[in-house]
Amino acid sequence: MSQAKPNPFENALEQLRIAAGYLKLDEGIHQMLAHPKREVTVSLPVKMDDGKIKVFTGFRVQHNDARGPFKGGIRYHPNVSLDEVRALSSWMTWKTSVVNIPFGGGKGGIICDPKSMSPGELERMTRRFAFAIAPIIGPYKDVPAPDVYTNAQTMAWIMDVYNMINGVMSPAVITGKPIALGGSLGRDRATGRGAVFVTVEAAKVKKLDLKKATFAVQGFGNAGSNYAEILQEHGPKLMGASDSSGAIMSKTGMDAGKLVAYKEKTGSVSGFPGSQPISNAELLQMDVDILSPAALENQILPDIAKGVKAKIVAECANGPTTPEADKILAKNGVFVCPDILANAGGVVVSYLEWVQNLERIAWSEDEVNSMLEKKMIGAFKDVHDASVKYNVDMRTGAMITAVGRVAEAVKGLGLFP
Ligand code: NAD
């Protein structure tokens, strides 16, 4: 694509501005919500396997905690930037609000190329990062979680450092942990599962028969592959998929479970038997009923949006659609289930994990999944009701719902001093 990729934080501010307009928000409150409460940048000297020291840069941005402790993942990626983390932290504030759980929003990231690092290097970098942010995290302060290229093991290392520094055993400081360390059953698949609950509701609105439907997924990682596997249980056929190595399509449909196994074995979706390679743009513009961008932000740009044929876009990724592209999708009648709603399943089960840790209890996977279903369907209804009431698209409906709740909390707390 030749189009310049917009700054994700500017996208986030534009989405906030639109919601603030509908809510007739006081300009002072609008400005408070436009500025993250705290931004921390840390240098992370790490001894690499060759004996040399390399200094990485990491961030933790705490956007808003009026409704509860800051909450949000930690991302390892070469393109991490302060503005990206700012955007992601504000989307977390809106996401925890839209599903009405008692958290605020935060996000972290380290500029690094995790694929080129050894497990030992990743562990040393993670532990150093945990040490650097330890003073500002905690079960009632800020509760991190996994994001792109971080996982349950990463969370265990962070928890271990936090606990050693503070002389406690505090599993509630982080979510997305291994089950053996207080992780919740159902957390690993929660984002994909939550997005499926939302897709099923969207299909009812659009009168789409899922038994005959087709879909494509951009980014076959944790969120995307679980979405594909669980969605196909409802009937739709997977026609296209991609990861960082490329995109593929099949004329007859692919079994998502077999594609997961193939990617686990070979490291990518490319070359899956019976598939043929296509470009990223072709994947996003495939003639399918449902499209899920599940990779990174700024993927559905205006030129791509013009050719999107899907009836429903379920945003498993954060920020995959730019505001300009959003307008085109809305004009073309595409029903977009926005990121802060569609991918909120992860943070809902993170919340359930946190509650289990604080209460020292453990729920079964069925109990967790049924609480997740209730939350996601309730949130879909709130957002859809707002979009009907204000006669706006689902993203604006979601932002109106979320920003309205946070603004009320901020107003209720008043201003210090
Ligand atoms: P992941 O690392 O498990 O997967 C990311 C996938 O995207 C990988 O398969 C990678 O190869 C692929 N990818 C990277 N660049 C790509 C590109 N240019 N084109 C196509 N594919 C590409 O990460 P994840 O946790 O699944 O996160 C994916 C998205 O979902 C992110 O935007 C993340 O913020 C969002 N998200 C994840 C969760 C969660 O619980 N995992 C929750 C909410 C939102």
Side-chain angles (χ1 to χ4, degrees), residues 92-134:
M92 284 307 300
T93 302
W94 314 137
K95 193 180 301 183
T96 54
S97 175
V98 94
V99 287
N100 218 351
I101 53 176
F103 279 129
K107 200 85 182 189
I110 303 179
I111 307 169
C112 64
D113 181 8
K115 284 187 177 176
S116 70
M117 295 170 70
S118 71
E121 290 170 341
L122 282 169
E123 177 172 356
R124 292 192 291 279
M125 182 183 77
T126 302
R127 287 185 179 277
R128 187 70 195 212
F129 182 60
F131 176 77
I133 64 167

Side-chain angles (χ1 to χ4, degrees), residues 136-251:
I136 59 160
I137 64 172
Y140 294 105
K141 283 191 203 172
D142 182 351
V143 184
D147 190 65
V148 175
Y149 296 132
T150 55
N151 54 28
Q153 177 62 74
T154 326
M155 300 305 109
W157 290 328
I158 294 175
M159 177 177 94
D160 187 48
V161 172
Y162 177 87
N163 286 349
M164 284 195 295
I165 290 174
N166 292 290
V168 291
M169 175 50 197
S170 178
V173 67
I174 204 148
T175 61
K177 298 176 291 290
I179 303 294
L181 291 169
S184 178
L185 293 170
R187 172 63 184 88
D188 51 346
R189 309 192 78 191
T191 302
R193 188 178 299 281
V196 170
F197 290 133
V198 166
T199 305
V200 169
E201 295 307 299
K204 288 180 198 161
V205 173
K206 291 294 279 181
K207 299 194 178 11
L208 174 69
D209 181 358
L210 285 179
K211 294 270 174 269
K212 295 183 190 142
T214 54
F215 73 109
V217 175
Q218 182 204 37
F220 213 66
N222 175 298
S225 66
N226 281 305
Y227 177 76
E229 277 196 283
I230 299 167
L231 184 62
Q232 82 180 7
E233 289 168 12
H234 294 259
K237 260 192 193 171
L238 176 65
M239 310 307 285
S242 73
D243 58 22
S244 56
S245 71
I248 56 168
M249 66 89 74
S250 152
K251 288 199 177 92

Side-chain angles (χ1 to χ4, degrees), residues 124-388:
R124 292 192 291 279
M125 182 183 77
T126 302
R127 287 185 179 277
R128 187 70 195 212
F129 182 60
F131 176 77
I133 64 167
I136 59 160
I137 64 172
Y140 294 105
K141 283 191 203 172
D142 182 351
V143 184
D147 190 65
V148 175
Y149 296 132
T150 55
N151 54 28
Q153 177 62 74
T154 326
M155 300 305 109
W157 290 328
I158 294 175
M159 177 177 94
D160 187 48
V161 172
Y162 177 87
N163 286 349
M164 284 195 295
I165 290 174
N166 292 290
V168 291
M169 175 50 197
S170 178
V173 67
I174 204 148
T175 61
K177 298 176 291 290
I179 303 294
L181 291 169
S184 178
L185 293 170
R187 172 63 184 88
D188 51 346
R189 309 192 78 191
T191 302
R193 188 178 299 281
V196 170
F197 290 133
V198 166
T199 305
V200 169
E201 295 307 299
K204 288 180 198 161
V205 173
K206 291 294 279 181
K207 299 194 178 11
L208 174 69
D209 181 358
L210 285 179
K211 294 270 174 269
K212 295 183 190 142
T214 54
F215 73 109
V217 175
Q218 182 204 37
F220 213 66
N222 175 298
S225 66
N226 281 305
Y227 177 76
E229 277 196 283
I230 299 167
L231 184 62
Q232 82 180 7
E233 289 168 12
H234 294 259
K237 260 192 193 171
L238 176 65
M239 310 307 285
S242 73
D243 58 22
S244 56
S245 71
I248 56 168
M249 66 89 74
S250 152
K251 288 199 177 92
T252 50
M254 300 176 280
D255 180 80
K258 286 188 181 150
L259 186 56
V260 169
Y262 178 83
K263 183 170 159 75
E264 262 166 28
K265 207 168 91 196
T266 65
S268 89
V269 296
S270 299
F272 182 65
S275 73
Q276 55 201 74
I278 49 171
S279 70
N280 181 47
E282 283 169 327
L283 177 85
L284 295 172
Q285 297 177 331
M286 266 180 88
D287 193 4
V288 287
D289 299 303
I290 301 160
L291 171 68
S292 181
L296 294 166
E297 57 268 20
N298 282 331
Q299 297 302 307
I300 306 187
L301 301 169
D303 276 359
I304 295 274
K306 283 177 201 155
V308 167
K309 296 177 194 69
K311 299 177 186 73
I312 294 170
V313 170
E315 293 183 338
C316 278
N318 284 309
T321 310
T322 67
E324 275 311 303
D326 247 338
K327 288 183 199 154
I328 297 167
L329 296 178
K331 197 171 119 247
N332 293 344
V334 181
F335 191 87
V336 177
C337 300
D339 46 9
I340 59 169
L341 170 68
N343 70 32
V347 78
V348 168
V349 177
S350 274
Y351 160 64
L352 298 176
E353 178 176 335
W354 181 74
V355 172
Q356 290 171 84
N357 295 157
L358 293 175
E359 299 276 325
R360 296 291 198 258
I361 50 171
W363 290 317
S364 71
E365 190 161 353
D366 282 350
E367 286 172 308
V368 169
N369 288 347
S370 85
M371 285 185 252
L372 171 65
E373 180 172 16
K374 213 167 146 199
K375 270 282 177 212
M376 297 308 293
I377 292 177
F380 182 94
K381 187 176 178 315
D382 289 348
V383 170
H384 190 241
D385 287 353
S387 78
V388 171

